[in-house]
Amino acid sequence: MTLIPTILCGGAGSRLWPVSRELHPKPFIRLADGQSLLQKAFLRGAALADAKEILTVTNRDLYFKTEDDFREVNADKMPTSYILEPFGRNTAAAIASAALHVAASHDEDALLLVLAADHLIVDQRAFNDAVEEAKTLAARGKLVTFGIRPDAPETGYGYIEAEGNDVLRFVEKPSREKAQQYLDSGRFLWNSGMFCFAAGAILRAMEKHCPDILEATQACMRQLRTAEGKCLTQMELPAEYFEKVREDSIDYAVMEKAANVAVVPCSIGWSDIGSWTAIGNLTEADAEGNRVEGEVLLHDVSNCYIQSRDRLVGAVGVDNLVIIDTPDALLVADRLRAQDVKHIYAKLKASGHEAHQLHRTVHRPWGTYTVLEDGPRFKIKRIVVKPGASLSLQMHHHRSEHWIVVSGMAKVVNGDKELFVNTNESTFIPAAHKHRLENPGVLDLVMIEVQSGEYLGEDDIVRFEDVYGRVS
């Protein structure tokens, strides 16, 4: 039986700010063991016996970060493929494009196992058993969802009322009182947002219940194939077609309407890691109930979660707080109000503050840059270029740049000149000069870049050539 684990990777993760940002969302957050939630989802799917490839639906801007994360853990060389959306349209569109691709590249009987990139599952054996049960149901034409047996009256999850594998109804996020009634009844499960179904079965259901979403997504896929002329492992959906796809979740668009829906009740150690309290609970508490990650000194502190990967944090005489320290932002919140962090994120986004979108260290296809200092008419960056990688051939209207090589060797195009810059050497790029930076070596190239000029925004860039497809 062909099984295609399909990872949906997107979202903002606004409740996990300041570690989660728009271009570094929740799936990329590293847990205490060093692995990201996305990597754990990949390994979870790749460990299944019938898995043929890992298909990932993600945003175009997150493709290279996703590929880097997978490369770190894909020791067995599991085949990977990607559908790249220009912007989010929720899970119905993502699943429609995945099902169309799987039906075309495998067949309509191939099963999709839809996994969220930002959930945590700690019991792999129980998960494998639940998938086997779901596969059996899906092979009979069922649209299968996974229901988590609840152990608390959670108000942040949707619920499923069920008898065995039969779904009686889907229920919205309840009040505390109603959630307790659901827990006491023993008839309700948490809606996990994971699914299993044959490609043909979900396409037929979408044709019946949300034909506009399916037709608009089909138009995207047809345009994609016409433009590329072949089946690729990275399929970029054209924005001018994708913007016509209506936004909706697969739950609302199909699962709550279809008659052939089934559920697999399971206890797999599942969490959607929806707040800093949930992240903190993954770390063992000390005698005072404190959970800490990083270099932290405490005096008369209790029931706090403190995370600081880069700096020493000291806390005195506080109780029941979440403290998250990053190089450019600090969060202090009451643990009981950890869900409200999303309001800080929303205010940053509304004001246009870049702290909702970027960290000081920004990942690019070619490597990373870290902003060391930013002042009037100057900015200092540390740039790391991966072996064999190169930046685009580009130009800036409003700034000049000094490049100092700290380690490695740089191949530089500067105007009409091409030169090699070795360790402890430098070069100057005047404004309006075409230039390109490349690492021709086998080790990382590390540089310090000093920008100066009247405008230093990241959007002051004109690309002429680019190996990563960022030039029209």
Side-chain angles (χ1 to χ4, degrees):
M1 186 180 296
T2 299
L3 180 70
I4 310 298
T6 302
I7 300 174
L8 307 186
C9 178
S14 58
R15 292 173 294 176
L16 294 177
W17 185 87
V19 174
S20 179
R21 311 279 173 105
E22 188 174 279
L23 294 181
H24 183 82
K26 188 168 91 171
F28 299 94
I29 290 180
R30 299 282 172 133
L31 301 183
D33 62 3
Q35 287 184 348
S36 69
L37 291 167
L38 175 62
Q39 288 175 324
K40 291 180 181 297
F42 177 92
L43 293 171
R44 189 179 310 132
L48 297 169
D50 294 328
K52 304 301 183 186
E53 66 171 298
I54 302 294
L55 172 62
T56 303
V57 185
T58 189
N59 186 280
R60 177 66 177 82
D61 292 335
L62 300 178
Y63 166 64
F64 293 102
K65 284 172 67 68
T66 303
E67 192 178 43
D68 285 345
D69 261 23
F70 288 173
R71 190 181 297 114
E72 283 185 22
V73 298
N74 192 12
D76 295 330
K77 306 301 181 185
M78 168 67 72
T80 57
S81 55
Y82 303 86
I83 295 174
L84 306 178
E85 299 177 336
F87 33 75
R89 280 291 186 261
N90 214 319
T91 54
I95 289 173
S97 62
L100 289 165
H101 169 64
V102 168
S105 58
H106 296 276
D107 58 61
E108 289 199 354
D109 293 330
L111 302 182
L112 282 77
L113 175 65
V114 179
L115 305 173
D118 56 0
H119 292 178
L120 182 66
I121 293 172
V122 298
D123 192 336
Q124 181 72 36
R125 179 176 294 181
F127 172 73
N128 293 352
D129 292 342
V131 170
E132 287 300 314
E133 184 178 350
K135 285 163 55 181
T136 300
L137 293 166
R140 299 175 189 161
K142 295 290 187 180
L143 307 179
V144 184
T145 185
F146 292 79
I148 308 301
R149 295 188 180 96
D151 56 12
E154 287 287 347
T155 60
Y157 302 148
Y159 283 71
I160 301 169
E161 186 177 10
E163 288 183 355
N165 296 126
D166 296 328
V167 173
L168 303 181
R169 61 176 173 138
F170 290 84
V171 182
E172 294 294 325
K173 296 175 182 178
S175 65
R176 183 79 177 182
E177 180 182 4
K178 186 66 72 174
Q180 186 64 56
Q181 293 174 12
Y182 292 165
L183 180 66
D184 294 340
S185 75
R187 295 168 55 87
F188 287 82
L189 306 164
W190 290 335
N191 188 352
S192 71
M194 300 187 300
F195 309 96
C196 185
F197 29 63
I202 189 62
L203 291 174
R204 288 187 292 273
M206 297 190 82
E207 187 174 19
K208 180 176 181 180
H209 299 293
C210 56
D212 60 322
I213 293 177
L214 180 60
E215 289 169 9
T217 307
Q218 285 173 325
C220 284
M221 301 297 283
R222 282 195 299 269
Q223 181 67 18
L224 172 72
R225 293 194 185 95
T226 300
E228 302 293 355
K230 58 182 178 179
C231 181
L232 297 177
T233 56
Q234 345 170 1
M235 295 151 282
E236 187 169 354
L237 301 180
E240 64 270 26
Y241 284 80
F242 196 64
E243 68 182 0
K244 299 173 184 176
V245 180
R246 178 169 60 85
E247 182 173 354
D248 204 353
S249 71
I250 195 67
D251 293 278
Y252 289 143
V254 175
M255 301 299 286
E256 295 185 8
K257 301 174 182 176
N260 58 330
V261 176
V263 64
V264 173
C266 52
S267 299
I268 54 179
W270 174 89
S271 171
D272 75 341
I273 310 296
S275 69
W276 280 116
T277 301
I279 290 276
N281 288 341
L282 302 176
T283 302
E284 187 175 352
D286 64 16
E288 286 74 37
N290 297 307
R291 305 167 190 266
V292 301
E293 293 181 47
E295 191 176 7
V296 178
L297 296 177
L298 305 176
H299 177 72
D300 193 22
V301 172
S302 58
N303 303 312
C304 290
Y305 173 57
I306 303 174
Q307 182 191 103
S308 178
R309 302 283 171 85
D310 298 293
R311 293 187 292 191
L312 169 67
V313 170
V316 177
V318 295
D319 176 64
N320 216 42
L321 293 182
V322 171
I323 301 173
I324 310 297
D325 184 50
T326 69
D328 67 336
L330 171 67
L331 171 70
V332 180
D334 187 317
R335 283 186 66 210
L336 297 179
R337 301 191 61 183
Q339 296 281 349
D340 289 344
V341 173
K342 62 186 178 184
H343 297 302
I344 299 295
Y345 178 94
K347 289 181 178 180
L348 288 168
K349 187 171 184 176
S351 68
H353 197 295
E354 67 177 12
H356 91 275
Q357 185 176 47
L358 299 169
H359 282 280
R360 283 272 176 92
T361 295
V362 178
H363 291 261
R364 289 289 187 251
W366 42 262
T368 63
Y369 72 80
T370 302
V371 178
L372 303 177
E373 190 168 354
D374 190 357
R377 295 183 58 83
F378 81 94
K379 183 183 290 185
I380 303 174
K381 292 180 176 180
R382 179 180 184 268
I383 295 176
V384 179
V385 184
K386 294 182 287 191
S390 67
L391 283 68
S392 58
L393 181 64
Q394 58 186 249
M395 180 264 287
H396 309 296
H397 288 291
H398 303 289
R399 70 174 185 256
S400 59
E401 297 174 344
H402 289 80
W403 292 347
I404 304 98
V405 176
V406 176
S407 64
M409 180 176 66
K411 183 179 179 181
V412 175
V413 172
N414 188 352
D416 58 0
K417 297 179 181 179
E418 184 174 288
L419 62 151
F420 289 90
V421 184
N422 295 300
T423 302
N424 294 329
E425 296 178 347
S426 64
T427 189
F428 172 67
I429 312 293
H433 263 222
K434 285 186 179 181
H435 58 279
R436 187 203 301 271
L437 175 63
E438 180 180 347
N439 179 2
V442 296
L443 301 175
D444 283 347
L445 165 65
V446 182
M447 294 177 26
I448 299 298
E449 176 183 87
V450 180
Q451 302 177 0
S452 60
E454 61 188 43
Y455 179 72
L456 306 174
E458 293 300 322
D459 55 349
D460 177 23
I461 182 170
V462 179
R463 289 191 173 95
F464 302 98
E465 299 173 7
D466 183 62
V467 298
Y468 307 108
R470 295 174 294 176
V471 176
S472 300

